[in-house]
Amino acid sequence: MDPAQPLLRRLTPFILGVALLFLTGMAISRVLSLRQELAAQVIRQLEDDLRDRVETWESGLVDQLSQWAEVAGADPLGGPSLQLRMRQRRPYFDSLYVWYPAERVVTVGGNVERTKGVYQFPYESLQESREHLAAEPCLVRSRNLASQPGVDALQVSAAYRTFCSNESLATRVVAVTEAVTGLIDEDLYDDALEALESDGLPPEMTLREAAARGVYPFRAMVLKFQRAEVYLESGRREEAFDLLLRIGLEITDLDAPDVGALLQWVDQVIWNLERHKQSGRALRLRAERERALRRLNGFQEITRSLLDRLPPQNAEPPRFIYDQYNDNTYLLFTRWVQGSQLGVALQLDQQLLLDDFLENARRFRNQLVITDTTGRWRAGVRRPGQVALEVPFSKTLPHLRVSLMQSAVDVRLSRLDKEWVVPTLLVGMMLVMGSFALYEQVRASRQQRLLLQRQREFATRVTHELKTPLAGIRVMAENLELGLFNSDHERESMASAIVREADNLTARVNEILSVAKERTIREPEPFDPEEAVLEAVETWGPRLDAAGVDFEADLHPTDEVLGDMEAVRDAVACLLDNALKYRREDADPSRVVLTLTQQGKTVEVSVADNGMGVPAPMRTQVFEQFVRVEGPNRGKAGGHGLGLAQVAQIMKAHRGRATCTEGIDGGSRFTLHLPAHT
């Protein structure tokens, strides 16, 4: 045989394995490359889709705001009603501003002067004249009476109500305020409430409505504060807190510049609510205060940069004005209305506007985050994670950008990945099958080499055991042939020795053949395992006793077992034989314990001893053919590594198993596990 052929056979699996791994790597690399291209294509499609949605939303918003501006410019006096309608239609709409811009005026002498711009809406409420109030006759008479000694608060209150009963509503409100102040100072809360109910403003009238009736908002607010104080001092706490919240909401609902004059009082209301543990009401009012402050900032921006500006000669496109550096930012849409030459601005709530965009984003709404140029969160997902792409607001909010999360791309890719399931599975199956085939090839080759080695060791041991008696027989036969024995007695003795050695040799050969052949069981039938164990005990009990072994049998009733009773008996006998052969010479005494028990639906036959034992790493291998535990003093015990393999075959034929564990004092315990027949 060519010596290179064994080497080639050993190298063939590795060559095939390398080739398989190379082909599999190429296939996986191609699949990953195609998936990357697909991912890039999906991102481009999503970016185009998101950009279209942003542009469509922006175009619709600009068209709608332009229409509102045209309507406001066509009817400047209808500002209050138009503002109310727009607030009802769109939550993100906040305030309307209409103004007459500055003009160039040529005076006598040819001088050109520039007028100031004037607001058409909102207009400031009528201011309270301190000089007028100081000279109002009914108020002067009432105050003079209040300054006289001996006049109590009730008399002063009656004077105010009598002297000012026929005056204007604004004057009567001042009179009631001053009268109630005196009553509260004297702790006359019931009388104060009566004065408020009879002569004051109706409780349901808002500051805006009071201003429309000529009452300065500050005076109406003071009257409401007095009512809240009376409620609180009278024990009507919930009514007082509700009224305080309503006062704050009415102040924040005012248009600029009225809201600017009273906004500081909202802080006082919030402080009072928090002081009385009304955190829910305070939190709501704080949010409305921020919105009112944005309106005030927007109004001030228009006053500063647009009100006194000359209108353009030519048509000018609408534009957005925003404050991107302030947390409480304002957002203004401004344009000049052609024909009327009016300036119109629409103030929008940026946060609610962004919520409107997200609502219109439909399937993207839960996977979008909106940030400003500094990266601060403005709307959308609070914890965005990885960003896949971003698109700016090009027409309306250039300081903001819309980002789509990677999770949206992953969802789209997961749907498309179904198309790659079959090729991926094929590649995976090829890799698994090839790897398994290589593993089995290598394992089979290793097992074959191990089996050949064990067979050679077995043949060596058997040859040695057979050659020794054969050599003795040959020597004795040659002596007989040479006539070295003169007497008949010597010749008969030698012949008897030859026959005895031949019988021993025949017994040894039969023993080897019996354990070497594959053990099969006959037609299975139910039997009592105790009978098989007792037969083995009857045979091996005397042998163990003769060898000085302390033998103990502990047998318990069990269910029957389906199989071959003789085969089970032989398996038990093999275990007892091993316990006898592998006993320790220094053990005093040597012990062997045979037990028969049932655990659930399993019948267990166990043979435990305090002999040489089996090392833990070999407790599974000892049931393989030709496997022996080598070591000091084990060679005298004999054995060819076939007995326990036969035991394992018998257990497998009975759908059971054999196990090896630690026995008594470091010895071994062999257990047969047989399924009970029920």
Side-chain angles (χ1 to χ4, degrees):
M1 178 188 294
D2 185 357
Q5 290 184 357
L7 178 61
L8 182 61
R9 283 198 299 270
R10 289 196 297 271
L11 291 178
T12 298
F14 297 100
I15 295 174
L16 292 176
V18 172
L20 177 62
L21 291 176
F22 177 74
L23 293 175
T24 304
M26 289 185 61
I28 293 176
S29 176
R30 181 56 180 162
V31 169
L32 293 177
S33 176
L34 291 175
R35 192 182 187 281
Q36 289 177 352
E37 294 177 4
L38 179 62
Q41 181 181 359
V42 168
I43 291 177
R44 287 194 298 270
Q45 291 176 349
L46 290 174
E47 184 176 4
D48 293 340
D49 190 1
L50 183 58
R51 194 182 304 276
D52 290 341
R53 291 179 185 274
V54 170
E55 292 177 354
T56 301
W57 178 81
E58 286 188 302
S59 298
L61 177 64
V62 171
D63 291 343
Q64 183 180 67
L65 296 178
S66 297
Q67 282 185 343
W68 287 348
E70 291 289 342
V71 172
D75 183 17
L77 298 179
S81 60
L82 178 61
Q83 177 175 266
L84 180 61
R85 290 200 307 272
M86 288 191 291
R87 283 179 177 176
Q88 293 173 345
R89 291 184 57 186
R90 292 291 184 269
Y92 57 76
F93 178 81
D94 203 338
S95 294
L96 170 67
Y97 304 96
V98 183
W99 68 93
Y100 289 106
E103 293 181 346
R104 288 188 178 91
V105 178
V106 180
T107 62
V108 178
N111 295 326
V112 178
E113 296 182 357
R114 185 172 176 176
T115 64
K116 291 183 175 295
V118 179
Y119 278 104
Q120 179 65 29
F121 180 81
Y123 38 80
E124 188 175 9
S125 301
L126 295 176
Q127 296 297 316
E128 186 177 66
S129 174
R130 296 182 180 274
E131 294 78 7
H132 172 73
L133 291 178
E136 184 66 36
C138 74
L139 297 178
V140 172
R141 292 177 62 189
S142 301
R143 291 166 185 162
N144 290 334
L145 179 63
S147 63
Q148 296 178 8
V151 178
D152 59 21
L154 290 175
Q155 292 173 321
V156 173
S157 175
Y160 273 111
R161 297 167 66 181
T162 302
F163 298 152
C164 299
S165 60
N166 296 323
E167 301 299 330
S168 65
L169 179 60
T171 302
R172 294 202 306 273
V173 168
V174 175
V176 173
T177 302
E178 295 182 2
V180 170
T181 300
L183 294 172
I184 292 177
D185 290 341
E186 298 292 333
D187 297 334
L188 301 174
Y189 300 113
D190 292 339
D191 297 293
L193 183 59
E194 180 185 356
L196 289 169
E197 295 289 350
S198 59
D199 299 323
L201 295 174
E204 65 276 3
M205 180 180 291
T206 66
L207 299 182
R208 184 185 293 273
E209 293 170 344
R213 295 186 58 181
V215 178
Y216 181 50
F218 173 77
R219 286 294 177 181
M221 179 195 70
V222 171
L223 206 62
K224 288 178 176 287
F225 269 122
Q226 288 179 328
R227 183 184 293 271
E229 183 180 0
V230 170
Y231 283 165
L232 191 61
E233 295 296 338
S234 301
R236 300 164 63 174
R237 296 174 57 84
E238 285 301 315
E239 292 180 83
F241 298 145
D242 286 341
L243 181 54
L244 284 173
L245 175 61
R246 192 160 64 247
I247 293 171
L249 294 177
E250 289 178 6
I251 293 174
T252 58
D253 185 58
L254 293 174
D255 296 317
D258 287 346
V259 70
L262 302 182
L263 195 58
Q264 58 180 333
W265 294 96
V266 176
D267 295 330
Q268 182 68 27
V269 174
I270 293 175
W271 180 82
N272 274 300
L273 291 174
E274 291 178 341
R275 184 168 65 92
H276 290 91
K277 304 295 189 297
Q278 301 297 310
S279 57
R281 292 182 171 94
L283 186 63
R284 177 185 174 189
L285 186 54
R286 194 179 295 277
E288 293 300 322
R289 178 191 180 280
E290 295 301 313
R291 187 169 183 176
L293 183 58
R294 286 196 296 272
R295 288 204 306 274
L296 184 60
N297 291 338
F299 174 80
Q300 292 172 348
E301 174 65 21
I302 295 172
T303 303
R304 180 172 53 254
S305 61
L306 296 177
L307 185 64
D308 294 334
R309 177 186 169 192
L310 294 173
Q313 297 294 327
N314 301 317
E316 187 177 273
R319 65 191 182 102
F320 282 86
I321 301 176
Y322 51 87
D323 178 13
Q324 60 176 317
Y325 303 107
N326 194 337
D327 289 336
N328 195 17
T329 181
Y330 56 80
L331 179 64
L332 296 168
F333 172 84
T334 66
R335 67 167 299 170
W336 298 100
V337 179
Q338 296 299 316
S340 63
Q341 292 298 310
L342 288 175
V344 177
L346 306 174
Q347 184 163 356
L348 312 176
D349 187 310
Q350 178 176 285
Q351 192 62 44
L352 295 179
L353 186 65
L354 296 179
D355 291 342
D356 181 78
F357 166 75
L358 292 173
E359 184 66 25
N360 283 273
R362 300 179 184 275
R363 60 190 179 92
F364 289 135
R365 71 184 66 172
N366 296 325
Q367 296 165 323
L368 294 178
V369 60
I370 301 177
T371 57
D372 59 18
T373 53
T374 64
R376 290 187 300 176
W377 177 91
R378 291 301 183 185
V381 183
R382 278 284 187 180
R383 296 180 178 176
Q386 185 178 358
V387 173
L389 58 97
E390 60 182 24
V391 174
F393 289 99
S394 58
K395 298 179 180 179
T396 57
L397 307 167
H399 61 295
L400 301 180
R401 61 197 63 193
V402 186
S403 299
L404 182 65
M405 298 300 97
Q406 182 63 39
S407 57
V409 179
D410 294 339
V411 170
R412 179 70 65 88
L413 286 176
S414 64
R415 298 172 184 170
L416 298 177
D417 279 345
K418 295 178 181 179
E419 301 176 6
W420 298 93
V421 171
V422 174
T424 303
L425 287 178
L426 290 177
V427 172
M429 289 175 61
M430 181 174 67
L431 178 61
V432 171
M433 292 175 63
S435 302
F436 181 74
L438 288 175
Y439 169 76
E440 288 296 324
Q441 176 73 17
V442 174
R443 190 173 70 88
S445 178
R446 185 183 298 112
Q447 287 183 342
Q448 185 178 13
R449 290 196 301 270
L450 183 61
L451 182 61
L452 289 175
Q453 179 184 353
R454 292 174 180 174
Q455 287 177 342
R456 284 194 295 269
E457 293 173 354
F458 170 74
T460 300
R461 289 195 302 270
V462 171
T463 300
H464 175 73
E465 292 182 3
L466 295 181
K467 280 184 177 181
T468 300
L470 283 174
I473 293 174
R474 183 181 181 83
V475 170
M476 289 185 289
E478 288 177 350
N479 290 336
L480 286 175
E481 183 180 8
L482 293 175
L484 298 179
F485 302 103
N486 297 323
S487 65
D488 292 338
H489 177 72
E490 290 178 344
R491 287 191 292 271
E492 289 177 0
S493 176
M494 188 59 62
S496 298
I498 292 174
V499 171
R500 186 169 57 254
E501 288 295 329
D503 289 340
N504 290 337
L505 182 59
T506 302
R508 179 56 59 87
V509 171
N510 289 335
E511 179 185 355
I512 294 173
L513 293 176
S514 66
V515 297
K517 68 181 180 180
E518 183 178 358
R519 187 61 182 264
T520 59
I521 64 174
R522 59 188 180 182
E523 187 70 23
E525 59 184 14
F527 68 90
D528 187 353
E530 187 175 6
E531 296 182 12
V533 174
L534 286 175
E535 289 185 10
V537 170
E538 290 175 358
T539 302
W540 286 92
R543 299 182 186 179
L544 292 168
D545 291 338
V549 176
D550 187 0
F551 178 60
E552 177 184 349
D554 184 15
L555 309 182
H556 298 271
T558 64
D559 293 336
E560 291 185 333
V561 172
L562 182 64
D564 186 348
M565 186 176 71
E566 293 182 4
V568 174
R569 178 199 61 198
D570 292 345
V572 177
C574 179
L575 299 182
L576 293 174
D577 181 25
N578 284 347
L580 178 61
K581 288 192 294 186
Y582 295 102
R583 68 185 184 276
R584 293 172 54 184
E585 297 295 338
D586 58 347
D588 186 23
S590 295
R591 294 185 59 200
V592 176
V593 179
L594 172 65
T595 58
L596 172 65
T597 59
Q598 182 167 344
Q599 303 293 335
K601 295 184 178 181
T602 302
V603 176
E604 296 182 353
V605 182
S606 174
V607 176
D609 60 54
N610 62 345
M612 298 180 184
V614 178
M618 295 195 65
R619 288 173 183 170
T620 301
Q621 300 178 22
V622 292
F623 293 103
E624 300 177 9
Q625 285 186 336
F626 308 120
V627 174
R628 297 179 64 213
V629 181
E630 305 293 345
N633 301 323
R634 287 185 179 271
K636 298 179 181 180
H640 307 290
L642 295 174
L644 290 178
Q646 190 177 62
V647 170
Q649 283 186 354
I650 293 173
M651 290 299 100
K652 184 177 180 181
H654 285 79
R655 293 181 298 132
R657 59 190 177 92
T659 59
C660 175
T661 56
E662 185 175 354
I664 304 170
D665 297 332
S668 60
R669 178 187 301 274
F670 289 90
T671 306
L672 308 180
H673 305 268
L674 294 163
H677 178 65
T678 56

